[in-house]
Amino acid sequence: MEWIVTDKKTETPGTKTIRFKPNKPINFKPGQYFVFHDLVDWLEDCRAYSASSSPLRDYIEITVKLVPNPHFSKHLHELRTNQPIEVRGPYGQFYFEEAKDIVLIGAGSGIAPLRAIIQYIQDKQLSTNVTLIYSAKTSQLVIYKKELEDLEKQGKLHLYITLTQEKGQYTGRISHDLIKQVIPGVAKPEFFICGPPKMVKKTEEILEQIGVPKKHIKKEAFA
């Protein structure tokens, strides 16, 4: 199917959110991903990106972080308004289905599908209690920083941001102590983990150590 670029927004240095208008309505679940196909330097290339917007909106956004030796990510950053691109999907088993309490745990661009889940909950006006633990290198690299802080001020989100290369309210990687500090008031939540593979694996191990059943853990690793 063909999607058309309608807007772009810079989130952090090296990270942009790109908004598309698909040529036909698409049903997907918050957390799922799509595969983008295009010619880059005269070669056919493709990459998978999670939707970072709610499926209830009349557009679909993805949030693209430039990677080392960028090729396709740089190409997406340079797309022009009204430019078409071939997209296939949705795919994936990492998605939210209505639950009373959820804890979202993300690092870096792994926040993208978690944002889609948060937006979906707001769009449907669900009573879901949402807690977000998010790790970034510095405050400047916190994706959707103002958006998340505004939701926290409105009482729609419990937000915990930890920085690994700068002092903040919380410092260091997502840890056993931080998770234990955050979740005592959350009754039998569903957990969603998304980020680099090592972070996802370590966080899953921590959750299992503190007694979270595997069936209550969903995970997605961003290579």
Side-chain angles (χ1 to χ4, degrees):
M1 75 194 85
E2 187 177 84
W3 293 13
I4 302 295
V5 178
T6 62
D7 198 12
K8 291 193 293 185
K9 177 187 177 184
T10 298
E11 301 287 356
T12 69
T15 305
K16 291 184 179 182
T17 292
I18 307 167
R19 181 175 293 185
F20 298 90
K21 181 72 175 179
N23 61 356
K24 62 181 181 180
I26 298 172
N27 293 318
F28 68 98
K29 297 178 180 179
Q32 288 189 302
Y33 68 90
F34 295 86
V35 178
F36 290 73
H37 297 254
D38 211 353
L39 283 175
V40 184
D41 298 330
W42 306 106
L43 296 173
E44 179 72 27
D45 201 355
C46 66
R47 289 293 184 277
Y49 291 93
S50 297
S52 58
S53 58
S54 164
L56 299 180
R57 305 195 175 186
D58 62 358
Y59 56 81
I60 300 178
E61 291 179 335
I62 61 171
T63 300
V64 181
K65 181 179 178 181
L66 291 178
V67 297
N69 303 312
H71 188 243
F72 203 83
S73 57
K74 183 173 181 288
H75 175 70
L76 290 176
H77 273 215
E78 294 173 350
L79 290 177
R80 302 180 304 277
T81 301
N82 296 322
Q83 189 168 343
I85 189 168
E86 178 71 18
V87 183
R88 299 172 192 171
Y91 303 105
Q93 300 303 310
F94 181 82
Y95 56 79
F96 169 77
E97 293 180 303
E98 296 184 18
K100 180 173 176 56
D101 295 315
I102 61 171
V103 177
L104 310 174
I105 305 176
S109 58
I111 187 67
L114 306 184
R115 180 202 192 213
I117 292 171
I118 293 167
Q119 285 190 352
Y120 176 80
I121 289 167
Q122 300 306 313
D123 289 349
K124 285 206 76 174
Q125 298 184 342
L126 299 177
S127 60
T128 304
N129 181 49
V130 183
T131 298
L132 172 64
I133 305 172
Y134 179 50
S135 173
K137 291 180 180 178
T138 67
S139 59
Q140 189 183 29
L141 297 179
V142 175
I143 302 171
Y144 320 127
K145 187 173 189 290
K146 185 178 185 305
E147 180 179 326
L148 295 173
E149 289 176 344
D150 285 348
L151 287 171
E152 182 185 33
K153 288 174 185 175
Q154 295 164 20
K156 297 177 180 178
L157 176 72
H158 305 288
L159 179 63
Y160 300 84
I161 295 175
T162 184
L163 305 176
T164 60
Q165 296 181 7
E166 185 179 286
K167 285 190 176 181
Q169 183 180 6
Y170 301 94
T171 304
R173 300 184 186 278
I174 294 169
S175 65
H176 180 281
D177 289 345
L178 177 58
I179 293 174
K180 286 284 285 184
Q181 179 180 342
V182 167
I183 66 170
V186 184
K188 296 183 179 178
E190 299 286 331
F191 289 84
F192 294 80
I193 314 167
C194 190
K198 287 183 180 178
M199 168 268 176
V200 171
K201 184 175 185 295
K202 179 65 175 176
T203 304
E204 183 181 23
E205 289 173 354
I206 291 171
L207 294 179
E208 290 178 359
Q209 287 168 8
I210 62 178
V212 178
K214 278 195 172 186
K215 66 180 180 179
H216 292 311
I217 302 172
K218 288 191 175 184
K219 58 186 178 179
E220 186 89 294
F222 281 11

